[in-house]
Amino acid sequence: MSITKSLFIKKYTESIIRDEAAVFAGAGYSREAGFCDWKGLLRDIANDIELDIEKETDYISLAQYYENSNGYNTLCNTILDSFSRYKNNYTLAKAVEALPIKTYWTTNFDHFIEDTLRNDFKKLVDVKRTTKNLACNLRNRDVTVYKFHGDIDDLSSLIITKSDYESFERDHLQFINALNGDFINKTFVFIGYSFNDPDLFNVLRSIRLTFDKNKRTHYAIFKRPSISDFKNEKEFNYATVKHSLKITDLKRYGIESVEIDDYSEISSIFELIKKRYLLNNIYIAGSCRKLPDNWNQNQADAFLCRLGYELAKNSFKVCTGCIEGVGPQVENGVLNAVVENNLNLNNSLDIKRLPLINGNLNHMNNESKEVMRNDIYGKNGVTIFLFGNQYYDGVNLPSKGVMRDYERARAQDMYLIPVGSTGGASKEILFEIEKDIENFPYLKNHLDILKNCTEPEILVNTIFKILDFIKNC
């Protein structure tokens, strides 16, 4: 029996937050971008030795038969001819690689994973193509990609035939040990992988025998058999039985299956994982050059410090621009929580201090401003709006900067929590949201407190009720 998508999303997100997540990508991971799966890769090879690829399931033996007749070099060059420049309309890789996952393993020969990580997400990628690469690590790397079956740039490294698999354990022991270590210490999700490689099962068997009931849980995403994929009902029923048996068997190795009806669902699943992951990261948008009449300084400081403290204590990461009247107080609360609860500072606080000169950013070009904005809105899932007032020509008005924060946060589909009782831009934002409250169900039952309350404890408790609703909805 498979697990639900919602449970997988919850559990895998927790692994990402703990920095323990990994991906194992099979041929299906890059198929959307135009790359062949094993069947497509070996179609011409099967024809050349007078076999029908539609009747074959043992692709390793098929590759071996071709090598026996034509030689290894001809086999590799025939496969090389099947690789082409990938398309740019891939959604799965973009959904997965947007997440802060630092470890990828793949049996694919192509460069799709490392290229998209570099080009689409500007990540520094350390690629391990052979056992010799394992001893040298790229400094300041963001991601490590392990090419378990070699790389198309080094034909001698490819694992294709029965002979290659038979000598794999002897020639690639360091790779096997590295994968063993990651299976023990990380939580994998298998994407686009068929589980037909004997070398992987040797690794899984070793872990099962060593750890037995204490083995780590991993996940694999499978498409359920669909009758439209088969010639007749008999073939469909056979595939359904085999699919069920496979899912049950994988449980022996600690691999839970997540079933989908269409491959497009995988991208949606990882978009939800990203959204859930970002819920732990909260951006504080606000400034306060002058307190509104319903607040005094001690009251405001107590509220802001308490909010920062409780967010950090409850494992949220707080991002702030350290703007006068709001940022320093929130940061103070976070730092107190870090010290008193022995928390990791880097996991609790992210300061995005704007490089103001004479109170403005006129010295920065638009590209520089955009880098900081993209970093803020790309790494946080919730924005809390507090106060938000500024002087313009000597007059205290709602902050234009905080209003722009609102527009960007809404455009990014972030969760928004404006504390309207603090006045300024926060009051205006809550007024705008109230007109469209059906799209903000998590705020619906708390409008009165958000609009009118100035009691620090009640406000902090209300913000946490909203956060709990968001996490559980």
Side-chain angles (χ1 to χ4, degrees):
M1 183 178 175
S2 60
I3 65 168
T4 64
K5 287 183 281 189
S6 59
L7 181 58
F8 165 66
I9 289 168
K10 179 177 182 292
K11 292 294 186 181
Y12 195 67
T13 302
E14 290 171 357
S15 297
I16 295 173
I17 292 169
R18 293 194 303 268
D19 199 19
E20 296 175 355
V23 170
F24 199 108
Y29 185 85
S30 53
R31 186 186 299 129
E32 184 185 29
F35 289 101
C36 296
D37 56 11
W38 262 104
K39 187 174 183 179
L41 207 59
L42 297 176
R43 187 175 297 278
D44 290 341
I45 285 173
N47 289 336
D48 288 349
I49 56 175
E50 300 181 37
L51 292 177
D52 184 353
I53 193 67
E54 299 299 333
K55 296 179 180 179
E56 299 298 326
T57 57
D58 185 356
Y59 300 131
I60 298 170
S61 293
L62 179 59
Q64 185 66 56
Y65 300 155
Y66 187 90
E67 183 196 3
N68 295 342
S69 303
N70 299 278
Y72 191 77
N73 191 57
T74 303
L75 170 65
C76 288
N77 282 315
T78 303
I79 288 175
L80 183 61
D81 290 340
S82 301
F83 284 84
S84 60
R85 188 173 180 82
Y86 57 81
K87 304 171 186 175
N88 196 38
N89 59 340
Y90 45 87
T91 58
L92 171 57
K94 289 180 179 178
V96 175
E97 293 166 21
L99 292 162
I101 299 170
K102 297 178 180 177
T103 302
Y104 288 76
W105 283 81
T106 182
T107 51
N108 300 342
F109 308 141
D110 57 67
H111 302 156
F112 178 66
I113 295 175
E114 51 266 46
D115 282 351
T116 50
L117 283 165
R118 289 184 184 120
N119 299 332
D120 293 344
F121 299 100
K122 311 304 178 189
K123 295 183 180 181
L124 189 59
V125 185
D126 189 2
V127 183
K128 309 296 188 185
R129 296 180 175 87
T130 66
T131 54
K132 293 178 181 178
N133 301 140
L134 294 175
C136 301
N137 294 322
L138 186 64
R139 185 177 297 179
N140 298 322
R141 64 194 180 278
D142 299 307
V143 182
T144 303
V145 177
Y146 296 88
K147 311 296 283 287
F148 195 50
H149 284 171
D151 185 279
I152 197 65
D153 282 350
D154 180 4
L155 297 181
S156 66
S157 71
L158 303 186
I159 307 300
I160 308 172
T161 66
K162 288 172 71 175
S163 295
D164 296 328
Y165 280 93
E166 287 163 0
S167 61
F168 186 84
E169 187 169 357
R170 180 196 67 199
D171 298 338
H172 297 80
L173 183 59
Q174 294 88 343
F175 250 109
I176 292 170
N177 289 339
L179 182 58
N180 255 314
D182 277 350
F183 270 126
I184 293 167
N185 296 309
K186 299 183 185 298
T187 297
F188 276 84
V189 57
F190 292 84
I191 305 173
Y193 188 67
S194 61
F195 287 92
N196 290 326
D197 294 312
D199 50 358
L200 178 68
F201 272 104
N202 288 337
V203 174
L204 294 173
R205 183 184 68 243
S206 172
I207 293 171
R208 184 180 70 83
L209 293 174
T210 302
F211 292 92
D212 193 23
K213 294 180 180 179
N214 293 321
K215 57 185 174 291
R216 198 179 186 98
T217 299
H218 305 286
Y219 304 94
I221 301 177
F222 292 112
K223 179 181 176 295
R224 294 184 185 90
S226 171
I227 195 164
S228 61
D229 296 331
F230 298 91
K231 295 177 182 177
N232 52 58
E233 189 173 351
K234 183 179 180 181
E235 288 186 6
F236 165 68
N237 289 337
Y238 184 86
T240 300
V241 170
K242 190 171 183 180
H243 173 79
S244 178
L245 293 171
K246 184 177 189 176
I247 284 175
T248 302
D249 187 55
L250 286 174
K251 285 178 177 288
R252 294 193 301 128
Y253 304 101
I255 299 173
E256 295 285 353
S257 299
V258 184
E259 292 183 282
I260 56 174
D261 294 313
D262 190 271
Y263 288 117
S264 63
E265 292 178 46
I266 306 178
S267 299
S268 300
I269 287 171
F270 279 90
E271 290 290 351
L272 290 172
I273 288 173
K274 179 183 177 182
K275 194 153 191 174
R276 187 177 183 90
Y277 165 75
L278 291 178
L279 290 181
N280 267 9
N281 300 345
I282 296 180
Y283 176 51
I284 304 294
S287 61
C288 188
R289 310 298 183 186
K290 180 185 177 184
L291 284 169
D293 294 338
N294 57 333
W295 286 83
N296 63 58
Q297 193 63 58
N298 290 337
Q299 188 183 24
D301 290 346
F303 166 51
L304 295 170
C305 289
R306 173 76 180 272
L307 177 61
Y309 183 95
E310 292 298 333
L311 287 172
K313 183 183 176 183
N314 286 277
S315 301
F316 289 96
K317 185 172 185 176
V318 177
C319 176
T320 169
C322 199
I323 304 299
E324 181 184 344
V326 172
Q329 290 92 327
V330 172
E331 290 169 31
N332 188 271
V334 172
L335 291 171
N336 287 340
V338 167
V339 173
E340 293 177 18
N341 298 279
N342 195 28
L343 304 174
N344 183 301
L345 178 59
N346 289 329
N347 292 338
S348 302
L349 184 61
D350 182 16
I351 298 176
K352 300 296 182 187
R353 191 186 304 274
L354 292 170
L356 298 173
I357 298 178
N358 296 325
N360 64 64
L361 292 171
N362 295 339
H363 57 286
M364 291 182 71
N365 59 42
N366 290 331
E367 289 78 10
S368 299
K369 294 176 186 176
E370 205 60 28
V371 167
M372 180 170 282
R373 289 167 184 157
N374 288 343
D375 193 65
I376 290 172
Y377 295 103
K379 292 183 178 178
N380 295 284
V382 180
T383 299
I384 300 176
F385 298 93
L386 304 169
F387 297 97
N389 60 73
Q390 178 63 275
Y391 280 100
Y392 300 98
D393 298 325
V395 180
N396 189 265
L397 298 170
S399 167
K400 295 177 184 177
V402 176
M403 292 305 298
R404 283 195 294 270
D405 282 333
Y406 164 64
E407 292 165 4
R408 295 187 197 107
R410 191 158 185 179
Q412 285 287 113
D413 198 26
M414 296 171 73
Y415 289 99
L416 314 177
I417 306 177
V419 183
S421 64
T422 59
S426 297
K427 183 177 180 179
E428 292 200 359
I429 291 166
L430 185 58
F431 178 74
E432 288 295 317
I433 284 176
E434 194 172 5
K435 292 189 291 187
D436 189 26
I437 195 62
E438 294 304 319
N439 286 318
F440 300 87
Y442 52 93
L443 298 178
K444 204 169 184 179
N445 295 330
H446 307 285
L447 287 174
D448 185 60
I449 290 176
L450 292 173
K451 281 194 289 186
N452 302 306
C453 182
T454 58
E455 289 294 325
E457 185 174 352
I458 294 174
L459 282 174
V460 171
N461 289 341
T462 299
I463 289 171
F464 270 86
K465 287 178 183 178
I466 293 169
L467 292 171
D468 286 342
F469 181 93
I470 291 170
K471 280 200 165 188
N472 295 318
C473 69

